[in-house]
Amino acid sequence: MRTGGLRVQGMATFAYGIATAYRPALLARPAGLVDAYGEVTPHTALVLRSMAWRDAAVGLAMVLAPQGPALTAAAAVRVAADMGDALFFGRALRGRLRRAGAVVSALGWAAATVAGLAAGPGRPVRA
């Protein structure tokens, strides 16, 4: 397991989750989840904020979990969430390009997390 890579992914996930919880348009606009005026409706913002908070929590768990089963479990939750995103966004978004973009992005993050889990330990750091 490459803990350094998993921790960096966790930091990125946490940061994106917090940013999207604060400003849901960061996810809504590229996904096409906006109204005719390009604005995020209150109902859409509610759902995206909830999803973003989940991502922030998973990311923080990946950063803070001790190496071993706890970090593996946090990373597995990240993979499961990404697979769900790929499935549901890939089926529900309007437009082939938006669907493909969402699927590629979600599967890319899942693959990077799996690679971090499957990789052998990195070289030791010398002081």
Side-chain angles (χ1 to χ4, degrees):
M1 171 180 351
R2 286 268 166 94
T3 58
L6 292 173
R7 304 244 190 250
V8 169
Q9 284 182 287
M11 295 277 286
T13 302
F14 174 74
Y16 183 72
I18 292 297
T20 303
Y22 178 72
R23 190 175 302 272
L26 292 172
L27 176 58
R29 286 198 176 106
L33 299 173
V34 293
D35 63 16
Y37 303 103
E39 299 298 320
V40 182
T41 67
H43 292 99
T44 300
L46 171 68
V47 172
L48 292 180
R49 281 188 169 111
S50 177
M51 191 173 110
W53 195 251
R54 171 209 72 188
D55 285 348
V58 170
L60 188 59
M62 289 175 69
V63 170
L64 299 178
Q67 184 175 354
L71 180 56
T72 300
V77 170
R78 167 69 202 247
V79 171
D82 288 333
M83 298 300 285
D85 291 349
L87 174 67
F88 295 114
F89 279 104
R91 291 183 53 112
L93 292 181
R94 284 177 270 147
R96 186 178 300 174
L97 188 60
R98 282 196 172 110
R99 283 192 308 272
V103 169
V104 168
S105 177
L107 292 180
W109 279 103
T113 305
V114 169
L117 285 168
R123 293 181 301 169
V125 178
R126 294 186 184 189

Short mmCIF file of all heavy atoms in Angstrom, two decimals, residues 33-83:
data_model
loop_
_atom_site.label_atom_id
_atom_site.label_comp_id
_atom_site.label_asym_id
_atom_site.label_seq_id
_atom_site.Cartn_x
_atom_site.Cartn_y
_atom_site.Cartn_z
N LEU A 33 -26.23 20.29 -13.98
CA LEU A 33 -27.29 20.21 -12.98
C LEU A 33 -27.74 21.61 -12.55
O LEU A 33 -27.85 21.90 -11.36
CB LEU A 33 -26.81 19.40 -11.78
CG LEU A 33 -26.43 17.95 -12.07
CD1 LEU A 33 -25.81 17.30 -10.85
CD2 LEU A 33 -27.65 17.18 -12.55
N VAL A 34 -27.96 22.47 -13.53
CA VAL A 34 -28.37 23.84 -13.29
C VAL A 34 -29.67 24.12 -14.04
O VAL A 34 -30.05 23.38 -14.95
CB VAL A 34 -27.27 24.84 -13.71
CG1 VAL A 34 -26.04 24.70 -12.83
CG2 VAL A 34 -26.88 24.64 -15.17
N ASP A 35 -30.33 25.22 -13.66
CA ASP A 35 -31.57 25.58 -14.33
C ASP A 35 -31.26 26.30 -15.65
O ASP A 35 -30.10 26.40 -16.06
CB ASP A 35 -32.46 26.42 -13.42
CG ASP A 35 -31.87 27.75 -13.03
OD1 ASP A 35 -30.89 28.22 -13.67
OD2 ASP A 35 -32.38 28.36 -12.06
N ALA A 36 -32.28 26.78 -16.31
CA ALA A 36 -32.14 27.43 -17.62
C ALA A 36 -31.27 28.69 -17.55
O ALA A 36 -30.73 29.14 -18.56
CB ALA A 36 -33.51 27.78 -18.18
N TYR A 37 -31.12 29.26 -16.36
CA TYR A 37 -30.30 30.46 -16.17
C TYR A 37 -28.88 30.14 -15.71
O TYR A 37 -28.12 31.05 -15.38
CB TYR A 37 -30.98 31.40 -15.18
CG TYR A 37 -32.39 31.77 -15.60
CD1 TYR A 37 -33.47 31.16 -14.99
CD2 TYR A 37 -32.61 32.68 -16.63
CE1 TYR A 37 -34.77 31.48 -15.38
CE2 TYR A 37 -33.90 33.00 -17.03
CZ TYR A 37 -34.97 32.40 -16.40
OH TYR A 37 -36.24 32.71 -16.80
N GLY A 38 -28.56 28.86 -15.62
CA GLY A 38 -27.24 28.46 -15.17
C GLY A 38 -27.05 28.50 -13.67
O GLY A 38 -25.93 28.46 -13.17
N GLU A 39 -28.16 28.57 -12.95
CA GLU A 39 -28.11 28.63 -11.49
C GLU A 39 -28.42 27.26 -10.88
O GLU A 39 -29.16 26.47 -11.46
CB GLU A 39 -29.11 29.66 -10.96
CG GLU A 39 -28.84 31.08 -11.44
CD GLU A 39 -27.49 31.61 -10.99
OE1 GLU A 39 -27.11 31.35 -9.83
OE2 GLU A 39 -26.83 32.29 -11.79
N VAL A 40 -27.89 27.03 -9.70
CA VAL A 40 -28.15 25.79 -8.97
C VAL A 40 -29.42 25.99 -8.14
O VAL A 40 -29.49 26.92 -7.34
CB VAL A 40 -26.97 25.43 -8.06
CG1 VAL A 40 -27.22 24.12 -7.34
CG2 VAL A 40 -25.67 25.36 -8.85
N THR A 41 -30.39 25.12 -8.34
CA THR A 41 -31.63 25.25 -7.57
C THR A 41 -31.37 24.82 -6.12
O THR A 41 -30.44 24.06 -5.85
CB THR A 41 -32.75 24.37 -8.16
OG1 THR A 41 -32.39 23.00 -8.00
CG2 THR A 41 -33.00 24.70 -9.63
N PRO A 42 -32.19 25.30 -5.19
CA PRO A 42 -32.00 24.93 -3.78
C PRO A 42 -32.03 23.42 -3.54
O PRO A 42 -31.25 22.90 -2.74
CB PRO A 42 -33.15 25.63 -3.06
CG PRO A 42 -33.47 26.81 -3.92
CD PRO A 42 -33.23 26.33 -5.33
N HIS A 43 -32.90 22.69 -4.25
CA HIS A 43 -32.98 21.24 -4.06
C HIS A 43 -31.71 20.54 -4.55
O HIS A 43 -31.19 19.63 -3.91
CB HIS A 43 -34.21 20.67 -4.77
CG HIS A 43 -35.48 21.10 -4.14
ND1 HIS A 43 -36.23 22.14 -4.64
CD2 HIS A 43 -36.13 20.65 -3.05
CE1 HIS A 43 -37.29 22.31 -3.88
NE2 HIS A 43 -37.26 21.41 -2.90
N THR A 44 -31.21 21.00 -5.70
CA THR A 44 -29.97 20.43 -6.23
C THR A 44 -28.81 20.74 -5.30
O THR A 44 -27.97 19.88 -5.01
CB THR A 44 -29.69 20.96 -7.65
OG1 THR A 44 -30.79 20.58 -8.49
CG2 THR A 44 -28.41 20.39 -8.21
N ALA A 45 -28.75 21.98 -4.81
CA ALA A 45 -27.68 22.37 -3.88
C ALA A 45 -27.70 21.51 -2.63
O ALA A 45 -26.64 21.09 -2.14
CB ALA A 45 -27.81 23.85 -3.53
N LEU A 46 -28.89 21.21 -2.13
CA LEU A 46 -29.01 20.38 -0.92
C LEU A 46 -28.40 19.00 -1.15
O LEU A 46 -27.59 18.53 -0.35
CB LEU A 46 -30.49 20.24 -0.54
CG LEU A 46 -30.79 19.23 0.57
CD1 LEU A 46 -30.23 19.72 1.89
CD2 LEU A 46 -32.28 19.01 0.67
N VAL A 47 -28.75 18.38 -2.26
CA VAL A 47 -28.24 17.03 -2.54
C VAL A 47 -26.73 17.07 -2.78
O VAL A 47 -25.99 16.22 -2.28
CB VAL A 47 -28.99 16.42 -3.75
CG1 VAL A 47 -28.35 15.13 -4.19
CG2 VAL A 47 -30.46 16.21 -3.40
N LEU A 48 -26.26 18.05 -3.53
CA LEU A 48 -24.82 18.13 -3.82
C LEU A 48 -24.02 18.45 -2.56
O LEU A 48 -22.91 17.94 -2.39
CB LEU A 48 -24.55 19.16 -4.91
CG LEU A 48 -25.08 18.78 -6.30
CD1 LEU A 48 -24.74 19.87 -7.30
CD2 LEU A 48 -24.54 17.44 -6.75
N ARG A 49 -24.56 19.27 -1.69
CA ARG A 49 -23.86 19.57 -0.43
C ARG A 49 -23.74 18.31 0.42
O ARG A 49 -22.70 18.06 1.04
CB ARG A 49 -24.58 20.67 0.34
CG ARG A 49 -24.29 22.04 -0.19
CD ARG A 49 -24.84 23.14 0.70
NE ARG A 49 -24.30 24.41 0.27
CZ ARG A 49 -25.01 25.37 -0.30
NH1 ARG A 49 -26.31 25.22 -0.49
NH2 ARG A 49 -24.43 26.49 -0.67
N SER A 50 -24.78 17.52 0.45
CA SER A 50 -24.74 16.27 1.20
C SER A 50 -23.68 15.33 0.63
O SER A 50 -22.89 14.73 1.37
CB SER A 50 -26.12 15.61 1.17
OG SER A 50 -26.09 14.38 1.83
N MET A 51 -23.66 15.21 -0.67
CA MET A 51 -22.67 14.36 -1.34
C MET A 51 -21.25 14.90 -1.10
O MET A 51 -20.31 14.14 -0.84
CB MET A 51 -22.97 14.32 -2.83
CG MET A 51 -22.19 13.29 -3.59
SD MET A 51 -22.80 13.21 -5.27
CE MET A 51 -21.42 13.93 -6.09
N ALA A 52 -21.11 16.21 -1.17
CA ALA A 52 -19.80 16.83 -0.96
C ALA A 52 -19.31 16.62 0.47
O ALA A 52 -18.12 16.39 0.70
CB ALA A 52 -19.86 18.32 -1.30
N TRP A 53 -20.23 16.69 1.42
CA TRP A 53 -19.85 16.47 2.82
C TRP A 53 -19.37 15.04 3.01
O TRP A 53 -18.42 14.78 3.74
CB TRP A 53 -21.04 16.79 3.72
CG TRP A 53 -20.64 16.93 5.15
CD1 TRP A 53 -20.92 16.07 6.16
CD2 TRP A 53 -19.86 17.99 5.74
NE1 TRP A 53 -20.37 16.52 7.33
CE2 TRP A 53 -19.72 17.69 7.10
CE3 TRP A 53 -19.28 19.14 5.23
CZ2 TRP A 53 -19.02 18.51 7.97
CZ3 TRP A 53 -18.58 19.97 6.10
CH2 TRP A 53 -18.45 19.65 7.45
N ARG A 54 -20.03 14.09 2.33
CA ARG A 54 -19.59 12.69 2.36
C ARG A 54 -18.16 12.59 1.84
O ARG A 54 -17.31 11.95 2.45
CB ARG A 54 -20.53 11.84 1.49
CG ARG A 54 -20.04 10.41 1.27
CD ARG A 54 -20.50 9.80 -0.04
NE ARG A 54 -19.83 10.37 -1.20
CZ ARG A 54 -20.15 10.12 -2.45
NH1 ARG A 54 -21.17 9.34 -2.74
NH2 ARG A 54 -19.48 10.66 -3.44
N ASP A 55 -17.89 13.25 0.71
CA ASP A 55 -16.54 13.20 0.15
C ASP A 55 -15.52 13.83 1.10
O ASP A 55 -14.41 13.31 1.25
CB ASP A 55 -16.50 13.91 -1.21
CG ASP A 55 -17.14 13.09 -2.31
OD1 ASP A 55 -17.41 11.89 -2.10
OD2 ASP A 55 -17.36 13.65 -3.40
N ALA A 56 -15.88 14.93 1.73
CA ALA A 56 -14.97 15.58 2.67
C ALA A 56 -14.66 14.63 3.83
O ALA A 56 -13.50 14.50 4.24
CB ALA A 56 -15.56 16.89 3.18
N ALA A 57 -15.67 13.95 4.34
CA ALA A 57 -15.48 13.03 5.46
C ALA A 57 -14.59 11.85 5.05
O ALA A 57 -13.69 11.45 5.79
CB ALA A 57 -16.82 12.54 5.98
N VAL A 58 -14.83 11.30 3.87
CA VAL A 58 -14.01 10.18 3.40
C VAL A 58 -12.58 10.64 3.18
O VAL A 58 -11.62 9.95 3.55
CB VAL A 58 -14.61 9.58 2.11
CG1 VAL A 58 -13.65 8.59 1.47
CG2 VAL A 58 -15.93 8.90 2.40
N GLY A 59 -12.40 11.82 2.59
CA GLY A 59 -11.07 12.34 2.37
C GLY A 59 -10.32 12.55 3.68
O GLY A 59 -9.14 12.19 3.80
N LEU A 60 -11.01 13.11 4.67
CA LEU A 60 -10.37 13.32 5.97
C LEU A 60 -10.00 11.99 6.61
O LEU A 60 -8.92 11.86 7.21
CB LEU A 60 -11.30 14.13 6.88
CG LEU A 60 -10.70 14.60 8.19
CD1 LEU A 60 -9.48 15.49 7.95
CD2 LEU A 60 -11.75 15.35 9.00
N ALA A 61 -10.87 10.99 6.46
CA ALA A 61 -10.55 9.66 6.99
C ALA A 61 -9.30 9.10 6.33
O ALA A 61 -8.45 8.49 6.99
CB ALA A 61 -11.73 8.72 6.80
N MET A 62 -9.15 9.32 5.02
CA MET A 62 -7.96 8.83 4.32
C MET A 62 -6.70 9.54 4.81
O MET A 62 -5.62 8.96 4.82
CB MET A 62 -8.12 8.99 2.81
CG MET A 62 -9.13 8.04 2.20
SD MET A 62 -9.42 8.34 0.45
CE MET A 62 -7.84 7.82 -0.25
N VAL A 63 -6.82 10.78 5.21
CA VAL A 63 -5.67 11.54 5.70
C VAL A 63 -5.30 11.10 7.12
O VAL A 63 -4.12 10.94 7.44
CB VAL A 63 -5.97 13.06 5.66
CG1 VAL A 63 -4.89 13.84 6.38
CG2 VAL A 63 -6.12 13.53 4.23
N LEU A 64 -6.30 10.90 7.97
CA LEU A 64 -6.05 10.68 9.39
C LEU A 64 -5.97 9.22 9.82
O LEU A 64 -5.44 8.93 10.89
CB LEU A 64 -7.13 11.37 10.22
CG LEU A 64 -7.22 12.89 10.06
CD1 LEU A 64 -8.38 13.44 10.88
CD2 LEU A 64 -5.91 13.56 10.43
N ALA A 65 -6.48 8.30 9.02
CA ALA A 65 -6.50 6.89 9.43
C ALA A 65 -5.08 6.35 9.56
O ALA A 65 -4.22 6.64 8.73
CB ALA A 65 -7.28 6.07 8.41
N PRO A 66 -4.85 5.57 10.60
CA PRO A 66 -3.53 4.94 10.70
C PRO A 66 -3.33 3.93 9.57
O PRO A 66 -4.31 3.36 9.06
CB PRO A 66 -3.56 4.25 12.06
CG PRO A 66 -4.98 4.18 12.45
CD PRO A 66 -5.72 5.23 11.70
N GLN A 67 -2.08 3.75 9.20
CA GLN A 67 -1.78 2.78 8.14
C GLN A 67 -2.27 1.40 8.56
O GLN A 67 -2.19 1.04 9.73
CB GLN A 67 -0.28 2.74 7.88
CG GLN A 67 0.10 1.84 6.73
CD GLN A 67 1.59 1.92 6.42
OE1 GLN A 67 2.31 2.71 6.98
NE2 GLN A 67 2.02 1.07 5.52
N GLY A 68 -2.79 0.66 7.60
CA GLY A 68 -3.29 -0.68 7.88
C GLY A 68 -4.77 -0.77 7.57
O GLY A 68 -5.27 -0.11 6.65
N PRO A 69 -5.50 -1.57 8.34
CA PRO A 69 -6.91 -1.80 8.05
C PRO A 69 -7.77 -0.53 8.02
O PRO A 69 -8.68 -0.43 7.21
CB PRO A 69 -7.37 -2.74 9.17
CG PRO A 69 -6.13 -3.41 9.64
CD PRO A 69 -5.02 -2.41 9.46
N ALA A 70 -7.48 0.43 8.88
CA ALA A 70 -8.30 1.65 8.91
C ALA A 70 -8.14 2.45 7.62
O ALA A 70 -9.12 2.92 7.04
CB ALA A 70 -7.93 2.51 10.12
N LEU A 71 -6.91 2.59 7.15
CA LEU A 71 -6.67 3.31 5.90
C LEU A 71 -7.24 2.54 4.71
O LEU A 71 -7.82 3.12 3.79
CB LEU A 71 -5.18 3.60 5.70
CG LEU A 71 -4.79 4.36 4.43
CD1 LEU A 71 -5.54 5.68 4.34
CD2 LEU A 71 -3.29 4.58 4.39
N THR A 72 -7.09 1.23 4.75
CA THR A 72 -7.66 0.40 3.69
C THR A 72 -9.18 0.56 3.64
O THR A 72 -9.76 0.70 2.56
CB THR A 72 -7.29 -1.08 3.91
OG1 THR A 72 -5.86 -1.20 3.89
CG2 THR A 72 -7.89 -1.97 2.84
N ALA A 73 -9.83 0.56 4.79
CA ALA A 73 -11.29 0.73 4.84
C ALA A 73 -11.70 2.10 4.31
O ALA A 73 -12.65 2.22 3.54
CB ALA A 73 -11.80 0.53 6.26
N ALA A 74 -10.99 3.16 4.71
CA ALA A 74 -11.31 4.50 4.23
C ALA A 74 -11.15 4.58 2.72
O ALA A 74 -12.00 5.15 2.02
CB ALA A 74 -10.42 5.54 4.92
N ALA A 75 -10.08 3.99 2.19
CA ALA A 75 -9.86 4.00 0.75
C ALA A 75 -10.93 3.17 0.03
O ALA A 75 -11.38 3.55 -1.05
CB ALA A 75 -8.47 3.47 0.43
N ALA A 76 -11.35 2.06 0.63
CA ALA A 76 -12.41 1.24 0.02
C ALA A 76 -13.72 2.01 -0.04
O ALA A 76 -14.47 1.89 -1.02
CB ALA A 76 -12.57 -0.06 0.80
N VAL A 77 -14.01 2.81 0.97
CA VAL A 77 -15.22 3.64 0.94
C VAL A 77 -15.11 4.65 -0.19
O VAL A 77 -16.08 4.90 -0.90
CB VAL A 77 -15.45 4.33 2.31
CG1 VAL A 77 -16.54 5.38 2.22
CG2 VAL A 77 -15.79 3.29 3.38
N ARG A 78 -13.91 5.20 -0.39
CA ARG A 78 -13.70 6.15 -1.49
C ARG A 78 -13.98 5.46 -2.82
O ARG A 78 -14.65 6.00 -3.70
CB ARG A 78 -12.27 6.70 -1.44
CG ARG A 78 -11.79 7.44 -2.65
CD ARG A 78 -12.52 8.78 -2.79
NE ARG A 78 -12.49 9.28 -4.14
CZ ARG A 78 -11.85 10.35 -4.54
NH1 ARG A 78 -11.15 11.05 -3.69
NH2 ARG A 78 -11.92 10.73 -5.78
N VAL A 79 -13.46 4.26 -3.00
CA VAL A 79 -13.69 3.51 -4.24
C VAL A 79 -15.18 3.23 -4.44
O VAL A 79 -15.71 3.42 -5.54
CB VAL A 79 -12.86 2.20 -4.27
CG1 VAL A 79 -13.25 1.31 -5.44
CG2 VAL A 79 -11.37 2.51 -4.29
N ALA A 80 -15.85 2.80 -3.38
CA ALA A 80 -17.29 2.51 -3.48
C ALA A 80 -18.08 3.77 -3.85
O ALA A 80 -18.98 3.71 -4.69
CB ALA A 80 -17.80 1.93 -2.16
N ALA A 81 -17.73 4.90 -3.25
CA ALA A 81 -18.42 6.15 -3.57
C ALA A 81 -18.17 6.54 -5.03
O ALA A 81 -19.09 6.97 -5.74
CB ALA A 81 -17.94 7.26 -2.64
N ASP A 82 -16.93 6.39 -5.49
CA ASP A 82 -16.61 6.71 -6.88
C ASP A 82 -17.35 5.80 -7.85
O ASP A 82 -17.83 6.25 -8.90
CB ASP A 82 -15.11 6.62 -7.13
CG ASP A 82 -14.34 7.75 -6.48
OD1 ASP A 82 -14.92 8.84 -6.29
OD2 ASP A 82 -13.15 7.55 -6.16
N MET A 83 -17.46 4.53 -7.52
CA MET A 83 -18.18 3.60 -8.38
C MET A 83 -19.66 3.98 -8.44
O MET A 83 -20.28 3.93 -9.51
CB MET A 83 -18.01 2.16 -7.88
CG MET A 83 -16.56 1.67 -7.90
SD MET A 83 -15.82 1.69 -9.53
CE MET A 83 -16.60 0.28 -10.24
#
